[in-house]
Amino acid sequence: MDTIYDWLDAKGIPYDNKELIEVALTHSSYVNEHKHAQCDNERLEFMGDAVLQIWTSKKLFLMQPPLDEGKMTTLRAQLVCEEALAAYNRKLGLAAYLKLGVGEEKTGGRNRDSILADMFEALLGAIYLDQGLEPINTLLEEVITPTIRSPKSERVIDYKTKLQEYVQSDSRKTVHYEVVNVTGPSNKPLFEVIVKLEDITLGKGIGYSKKRAEQQAAKDAFEKMVK
């Protein structure tokens, strides 16, 4: 299909705000190289992540026979991890519409899990803001529902959730994450993240995406706290 709008039409997904759709497709490397592109898809990725969490949580909650809380938590982590989101992107053929900078394109960014996962979430965010949950349901039923009952590795652990649950078992406080350093080339930045409880640093992590770095920081904190 020639454009993202041809793709949306073929899926039966309505749209009114083309500007939102275009931003969802725009990686930061493209913005750096094109003055007319004013913003990348990171804010929409934030929105899409929230939509994905609530959709997946509701889907798992309504499953029969009912799943216990631990199983739902594990399954949700597996269904929305970076690797899974990139796989959904590839299955849907969305990478063809991704706007990348030349350097990122040359180094394989169009097939990089972190970029594909972020783009998928950003597009969900754009569709939700433009049209609400109904078209989101259509899209996620296609890619997530068939995978829910398929065998999955137990290696996917959502340490952010585990850490928050551990902290809240002793208090009503919430941890938060901060990016403290970014190194490496612009087409493959390495993020350093800390996780804090109020003013206390609990753990540190690094990764080639903010999400991976946050998970590593949460893992570092969780393993220290349960010793």
Side-chain angles (χ1 to χ4, degrees):
M1 299 179 190
D2 293 335
T3 70
I4 186 63
Y5 306 107
D6 295 326
W7 185 91
L8 291 168
D9 289 340
K11 293 290 183 184
I13 298 175
Y15 52 88
D16 293 317
N17 192 332
K18 287 189 174 182
E19 183 178 349
L20 272 178
I21 302 298
E22 293 295 333
V23 172
L25 307 177
T26 305
H27 186 256
S28 57
S29 62
Y30 185 91
V31 176
N32 293 337
E33 297 179 11
H34 297 80
K35 293 182 179 179
H36 68 275
Q38 297 185 354
C39 58
D40 58 39
N41 60 13
E42 289 185 2
R43 278 168 47 84
L44 284 174
E45 175 202 340
F46 171 84
M47 178 59 69
D49 177 69
V51 172
L52 187 63
Q53 290 287 337
I54 190 65
W55 187 93
T56 309
S57 297
K58 180 180 178 181
K59 184 75 176 179
L60 295 174
F61 185 84
L62 294 176
M63 285 185 68
Q64 294 296 327
L67 303 174
D68 62 38
E69 185 272 341
K71 184 63 174 177
M72 286 193 295
T73 299
T74 300
L75 260 177
R76 185 179 61 188
Q78 293 171 329
L79 292 169
V80 302
C81 70
E82 185 177 277
E83 183 181 349
L85 299 184
Y88 305 150
N89 189 318
R90 293 185 181 99
K91 181 177 180 179
L92 293 168
L94 289 168
Y97 311 114
L98 178 62
K99 296 180 181 180
L100 285 176
V102 174
E104 190 65 66
E105 186 78 69
K106 288 182 178 179
T107 56
R110 195 169 295 275
N111 196 42
R112 188 168 296 134
D113 279 2
S114 59
I115 292 177
L116 295 183
D118 290 349
M119 177 200 175
F120 182 74
E121 286 185 325
L123 186 59
L124 291 181
I127 293 172
Y128 170 74
L129 290 173
D130 189 32
Q131 298 292 326
L133 276 174
E134 187 172 346
I136 294 294
N137 187 63
T138 299
L139 190 57
L140 296 184
E141 285 285 2
E142 179 180 346
V143 293
I144 293 184
T145 299
T147 71
I148 288 178
R149 295 193 181 277
S150 62
K152 298 173 184 66
S153 170
E154 291 296 324
R155 68 181 177 82
V156 179
I157 301 175
D158 183 1
Y159 280 102
K160 290 180 68 175
T161 297
K162 289 176 74 70
L163 176 63
Q164 186 59 53
E165 290 174 345
Y166 187 84
V167 169
Q168 290 189 333
S169 69
D170 190 49
S171 72
R172 300 181 65 86
K173 297 175 182 177
T174 300
V175 299
H176 63 280
Y177 297 82
E178 295 179 10
V179 177
V180 293
N181 196 23
V182 181
T183 57
S186 60
N187 63 335
K188 197 175 181 181
L190 185 66
F191 296 90
E192 182 179 352
V193 168
I194 60 173
V195 56
K196 301 178 72 175
L197 181 62
E198 297 182 328
D199 294 326
I200 303 172
T201 297
L202 303 179
K204 298 179 181 180
I206 59 172
Y208 285 107
S209 71
K210 283 184 285 187
K211 289 181 181 177
R212 285 187 176 179
E214 287 175 354
Q215 285 287 350
Q216 288 300 316
K219 180 181 179 181
D220 181 45
F222 180 77
E223 290 178 345
K224 288 177 181 175
M225 294 178 76
V226 299
K227 282 183 178 180

